[in-house]
Amino acid sequence: MSNKKNRRFKARDKKRKIANNKEKRKRYNICRQHRRRQYIHAEKVQKAIKYVEIFTKEKLCNAEILVLAKGLKFIPSPRLQNAKKTLINDFNELARKMRCKYHFDDGSNTYNRHPFLLKSGHKPSWANNAIENYLFSTRIELEKIQINTFKDNLSKNERMALQSLRKNDRIIVKKADKNSSTVVLDKDLYVKMAMNQLNDNIHYETINESHTTAIKCLSVPFLEYRTFGDFENGHELMD
């Protein structure tokens, strides 16, 4: 009887030992993966900081440095949250323009659009049956479209860092003149440097009043004449 108990105790101890070893191995693998991710992230930050020139007192986190190192021409992946809504809004704008063309276009094709024309946003009444049937069927097809998911080119922390940089009004982000790096400056320092340039009496002169309105009154008719006059004569502006 005692031998059976001993064998049973040994088997139980062996199972416990195996379970403990599995748990230790699992914790070790998790810690190892975590350390490896930290090491890879630190390497990315060290490589990214070479492309970011920081001249600010603001402390930038690693995620912000990674975002800035991507360059000012980097395009983040669009969010799919409002993709269908944006698509429908674009289609509504197309429908509005088609109805406007139906109501106001006389077919002569002689309309010269002013280069500084402001959009009115006018919403006309319905057009003929052919246009309305086309718009109705197209909208139904757009409603059936399924938006496919795709891999985001920014991590969650980088998305938050991008929003943080956009909301930070104490810094200015510019492209460097000499290389392809990104420069981060204090806004106060940037304004101070600009004022130092403007206060140079050798190259700049202080005026008592602004002539912006007078220049606008002179330039707009000139631009209208150059734009529409040259188009009417059959050749475009070359300068």
Side-chain angles (χ1 to χ4, degrees):
M1 188 69 180
S2 60
N3 292 333
K4 289 183 179 180
K5 284 185 177 181
N6 291 334
R7 286 197 297 269
R8 188 164 62 248
F9 289 152
K10 287 181 180 180
R12 186 184 62 184
D13 293 340
K14 186 177 181 180
K15 290 180 180 179
R16 287 180 179 177
K17 189 175 182 180
I18 293 173
N20 291 334
N21 290 336
K22 286 184 178 179
E23 188 66 25
K24 289 181 181 179
R25 190 68 182 177
K26 184 179 179 180
R27 289 197 299 267
Y28 172 77
N29 289 334
I30 292 174
C31 294
R32 183 182 178 185
Q33 292 175 2
H34 180 66
R35 288 195 300 268
R36 181 170 178 80
R37 284 195 297 267
Q38 285 183 336
Y39 176 75
I40 294 174
H41 182 71
E43 278 192 341
K44 287 183 179 180
V45 174
Q46 291 297 326
K47 291 180 180 179
I49 204 169
K50 297 178 182 178
Y51 302 99
V52 181
E53 302 291 339
I54 302 175
F55 300 100
T56 177
K57 298 178 182 178
E58 296 283 332
K59 291 184 178 180
L60 302 179
C61 64
N62 293 336
E64 291 175 342
I65 293 175
L66 290 174
V67 172
L68 292 171
K70 296 180 184 295
L72 300 182
K73 293 185 178 180
F74 173 76
I75 301 176
S77 300
R79 290 184 176 272
L80 299 179
Q81 184 177 1
N82 298 322
K84 182 68 79 63
K85 183 178 179 181
T86 304
L87 181 63
I88 297 300
N89 290 337
D90 292 341
F91 173 75
N92 291 335
E93 180 65 17
L94 172 65
R96 186 188 72 83
K97 290 182 178 180
M98 291 180 66
R99 293 186 179 112
C100 286
K101 189 172 181 63
Y102 171 77
H103 286 288
F104 302 109
D105 187 18
D106 56 357
S108 60
N109 296 325
T110 59
Y111 173 68
N112 293 324
R113 188 178 186 276
H114 195 281
F116 306 111
L117 180 66
L118 297 178
K119 295 182 179 180
S120 63
H122 174 67
K123 295 182 179 180
S125 58
W126 286 12
N128 58 9
N129 292 333
I131 294 177
E132 293 301 329
N133 289 336
Y134 167 76
L135 294 176
F136 180 75
S137 58
T138 305
R139 186 182 178 90
I140 291 177
E141 293 296 328
L142 291 177
E143 292 288 350
K144 295 179 181 178
I145 290 179
Q146 298 294 331
I147 305 298
N148 297 326
T149 59
F150 53 88
K151 185 178 180 181
D152 196 352
N153 57 2
L154 287 177
S155 63
K156 184 178 179 180
N157 292 333
E158 290 175 348
R159 284 278 180 186
M160 296 174 62
L162 183 61
Q163 296 296 328
S164 175
L165 289 171
R166 291 180 63 183
K167 294 178 181 179
N168 192 350
D169 56 352
R170 297 183 298 274
I171 61 174
I172 291 180
V173 181
K174 293 288 185 180
K175 185 181 180 300
D177 296 333
K178 299 297 183 180
N179 51 25
S180 60
S181 61
T182 305
V183 181
V184 184
L185 296 168
D186 279 327
K187 188 175 182 179
D188 297 336
L189 178 62
Y190 185 79
V191 173
K192 183 179 178 180
M193 293 171 62
M195 293 305 297
N196 289 337
Q197 296 289 334
L198 294 175
N199 291 330
D200 186 3
N201 296 326
I202 299 176
H203 300 91
Y204 298 96
E205 181 181 355
T206 305
I207 58 176
N208 296 325
E209 58 181 356
S210 176
H211 302 289
T212 306
T213 305
I215 294 173
K216 182 179 179 181
C217 294
L218 293 174
S219 61
V220 170
F222 174 75
L223 291 174
E224 290 180 354
Y225 171 75
R226 291 299 304 273
T227 303
F228 293 111
D230 288 348
F231 280 138
E232 290 175 358
N233 294 332
H235 56 85
E236 299 180 359
L237 294 176
M238 299 301 294
D239 52 352

